[in-house]
Amino acid sequence: MSAKAASVTVKRLQSPHQSESFTQYKPLSSTMKDEIFSAVAEIFEAAGGKALLKSSGDVYIKPNAIDSKPYSHTRVELVEAVIHYWRSKGANRIFLFENCTQSNFTRMVFALTGYSDVCKKYGVREVYLDEEENTQFTFRGKRPEASEEGGYAETTFRIPKFVTENLIDRADENLYINLPKLKTHSMAGVTLGVKNQWAFPQPADRRADHNYNLASKLADMLDFIRPDFTLIEGVEATIHGHYPVTAFADKCVLPFKVLIGSTHVLAADLVGAKLFGLTPEKDAHHLQIAVERGHGMGVKSLDDVAIIGDIADFDKSYGWDLYPKYPQDVTIIKGTERTCREGCQNNPLTLLQCLAYDYHGKGGFTILMGKGHTPECIDAIQGRVLVVGKCAIKEAGDKLVARLGRKNVYFSGYCNDLCATTNALCHLMKVNPLVMAPMPFLRSIKLLFIAKKNGTQARIPFFFAHIFKVV
């Protein structure tokens, strides 16, 4: 054990999971919930328990709450177990904070996931990072593209002051608990503890370089902030990406029934990737880059990690790319020179699958993405077309507008502008954006009004995008 640079505890949950199809997202049984409470306590106790608290006695907890969609977020039962544990240890103040994915806003996600109810139950302060003021930072991994081939298109970004003041400037005073979900990722290989820090750039600052540079920027975040403890929730694990189409849940959701805990975020991620049969070198490049940049603190591979618990039966490899099923009446055209899976490819294709198979969206259009389209290919496009990413827009945008008319051409101009893509696809497929947030309309409007009043920087689709074309 002494030869290892870090230890990771893997707790295997023994309670039975649901017998129904995973297309039905259900609360965990009381037996499973009780076991999670016990397992969480054991994991923290093994790492020092109350001694993990720092001078302030405050605890800052960040789940993975990109969305309320089933299996995309950290289960509320795990969040409650962690809050309960630290309340029982006499924590002073507890904060639950997040900055959800583009095309959403955190206040609504907390309400839909049940996080808000848990916070009220335990007297925890909810913090919606999209509603916070910011401090500007500069990514350090690469220089600007003007001075380095393959460099960053945008080098500056904003971090909410709540994070800057409490988890960067006062990192030695406050305990930061990181609660990712055990998921593969169609653009990053895996999304675990390291990628859970990607919530800290404000939504608009995540759009640029969400391409071949994504792995580098994910590793960059460890320059600024590092969790004190990472606890990965793997009651279920997702494969074929991080945002499983509910209709595909029985193919994309696996009852791994594990919790993975460590004071070392990179070590926890290496173990999480191992359970999927994935490696940093081949599948999760941001983890390999983090090692190369010295963020491993002695951990370079699984050989440097002491795994406490049995994972011998996790001996299969699972796919991180999207489940290969798309509407037959949607034509997908990829550039022959470059089409980045990290951005203009898998970002719109994930949403296309969701709208088509979960919300019965219509087809009958084309999606053009990437770089390297011949004039003949562009001239052959008929009807309505969504042009995704600056490469495709530069190459084909004007030509398509001139030939097809502006009303038939839709644009999503960044490498990953999920809000613009949602507006476009909801109009093309005639899906009301509100159906993706299962909440009464008036309550949705109320939450949005409060978020807007508080200055949310979330990039939220137009409520009536299915009726009016806005991109």
Side-chain angles (χ1 to χ4, degrees):
M1 183 75 71
S2 60
K4 302 294 186 179
S7 63
V8 176
T9 299
V10 179
K11 293 292 293 184
R12 306 292 294 272
L13 302 172
Q14 303 302 315
S15 300
H17 207 331
Q18 69 183 57
S19 57
E20 300 91 343
S21 165
F22 283 120
T23 59
Q24 302 178 53
Y25 186 71
K26 293 180 172 294
L28 298 178
S29 68
S30 59
T31 303
M32 175 69 85
K33 183 176 177 179
D34 289 345
E35 186 180 1
I36 287 174
F37 272 58
S38 297
V40 164
E42 291 175 16
I43 290 171
F44 282 130
E45 288 296 317
K50 187 175 181 178
L52 291 170
L53 288 171
K54 300 182 184 180
S55 60
S56 71
D58 293 341
V59 179
Y60 293 75
I61 301 172
K62 186 198 174 299
N64 183 335
I66 64 165
D67 195 282
S68 61
K69 190 169 181 58
Y71 312 108
S72 71
H73 57 273
T74 308
R75 270 199 173 267
V76 67
E77 295 91 345
L78 188 279
V79 173
E80 182 177 0
V82 172
I83 291 172
H84 178 270
Y85 175 82
W86 289 108
R87 271 283 176 252
S88 72
K89 294 301 174 182
N92 182 19
R93 297 179 298 173
I94 300 178
F95 301 85
L96 189 72
F97 63 101
E98 175 61 300
N99 199 353
C100 65
T101 192
Q102 297 179 66
S103 203
N104 218 323
F105 62 105
T106 311
R107 186 177 290 270
M108 175 176 280
V109 172
F110 271 41
L112 288 169
T113 55
Y115 292 172
S116 291
D117 293 336
V118 168
C119 287
K120 290 180 177 66
K121 178 179 178 180
Y122 290 91
V124 171
R125 179 185 165 192
E126 303 170 62
V127 180
Y128 316 116
L129 296 180
D130 54 294
E131 299 178 13
E132 294 285 315
E133 295 181 356
N134 305 298
T135 305
Q136 185 164 293
F137 288 81
T138 301
F139 288 112
R140 301 171 184 168
K142 290 187 178 183
R143 291 178 293 169
E145 60 183 0
S147 57
E148 176 182 351
E149 184 177 356
Y152 292 153
E154 294 185 11
T155 56
T156 60
F157 68 104
R158 297 161 298 156
I159 290 181
K161 284 186 176 179
F162 174 86
V163 175
T164 304
E165 293 171 355
N166 295 296
L167 302 182
I168 297 177
D169 297 343
R170 299 177 59 211
D172 59 340
E173 300 174 31
N174 300 319
L175 175 62
Y176 170 28
I177 306 292
N178 183 29
L179 300 182
K181 177 79 174 174
L182 185 60
K183 300 186 291 185
T184 62
H185 196 279
S186 67
M187 293 170 265
V190 294
T191 171
L192 303 170
V194 173
K195 192 177 182 304
N196 206 30
Q197 314 312 295
W198 192 236
F200 299 139
Q202 286 289 10
D205 299 334
R206 304 177 210 165
R207 298 177 297 175
D209 296 304
H210 210 293
N211 52 19
Y212 53 85
N213 273 324
L214 176 62
S216 180
K217 280 195 168 180
L218 294 179
D220 280 349
M221 294 309 299
L222 294 179
D223 285 333
F224 308 103
I225 188 167
R226 187 169 297 166
D228 295 304
F229 199 95
T230 295
L231 179 55
I232 302 173
E233 182 263 293
V235 176
E236 306 95 0
T238 74
I239 59 174
H240 296 301
H242 67 295
Y243 195 75
V245 177
T246 305
F248 300 167
D250 289 328
K251 300 179 178 66
C252 299
V253 177
L254 303 172
F256 272 15
K257 298 198 298 183
V258 297
L259 302 179
I260 302 168
S262 180
T263 56
H264 195 299
V265 61
L266 188 56
D269 279 15
L270 292 175
V271 173
K274 170 67 175 176
L275 300 193
F276 288 122
L278 305 177
T279 66
E281 298 83 0
K282 295 181 180 179
D283 308 294
H285 297 151
H286 63 287
L287 301 183
Q288 184 62 28
I289 293 171
V291 168
E292 293 169 356
R293 292 182 183 168
H295 294 306
M297 299 179 294
V299 172
K300 296 182 178 180
S301 71
L302 276 177
D303 292 338
D304 302 312
V305 179
I307 301 176
I308 304 169
D310 182 14
I311 62 169
D313 56 328
F314 285 98
D315 55 0
K316 297 179 181 179
S317 294
Y318 298 95
W320 50 258
D321 208 348
L322 297 176
Y323 186 73
K325 183 177 180 180
Y326 304 98
Q328 293 184 353
D329 57 352
V330 175
T331 301
I332 300 167
I333 303 175
K334 302 178 183 180
T336 58
E337 183 177 337
R338 171 183 287 165
T339 302
C340 298
R341 65 174 175 84
E342 301 92 341
C344 66
Q345 176 177 304
N346 282 359
N347 165 42
L349 292 186
T350 298
L351 185 58
L352 173 67
Q353 287 183 326
C354 177
L355 295 180
Y357 298 107
D358 284 345
Y359 302 107
H360 311 293
K362 300 177 181 179
F365 57 92
T366 298
I367 301 178
L368 184 76
M369 58 184 70
K371 180 180 181 181
H373 302 282
T374 64
E376 294 77 13
C377 171
I378 296 171
D379 291 343
I381 295 173
Q382 301 295 323
R384 300 172 302 160
V385 55
L386 169 59
V387 187
V388 182
K390 61 181 182 180
C391 293
I393 291 174
K394 180 179 180 180
E395 200 168 72
D398 290 343
K399 297 177 183 177
L400 289 168
V401 168
R403 185 166 59 82
L404 301 176
R406 185 65 180 87
K407 69 177 183 179
N408 289 315
V409 183
Y410 302 69
F411 293 116
S412 183
Y414 282 80
C415 298
N416 182 353
D417 190 338
L418 188 54
C419 179
T421 303
T422 301
N423 280 327
L425 286 179
C426 282
H427 191 263
L428 284 162
M429 303 179 78
K430 301 305 176 188
V431 176
N432 186 338
L434 288 172
V435 304
M436 292 186 280
M439 177 181 289
F441 176 73
L442 291 180
R443 190 180 179 203
S444 298
I445 292 294
K446 179 180 178 181
L447 290 177
L448 180 59
F449 174 80
I450 296 172
K452 290 284 190 181
K453 183 179 178 181
N454 289 338
T456 180
Q457 295 145 79
R459 304 195 68 254
I460 304 165
F462 181 43
F463 275 10
F464 303 106
H466 59 302
I467 300 174
F468 301 101
K469 180 177 182 291
V470 294
V471 292

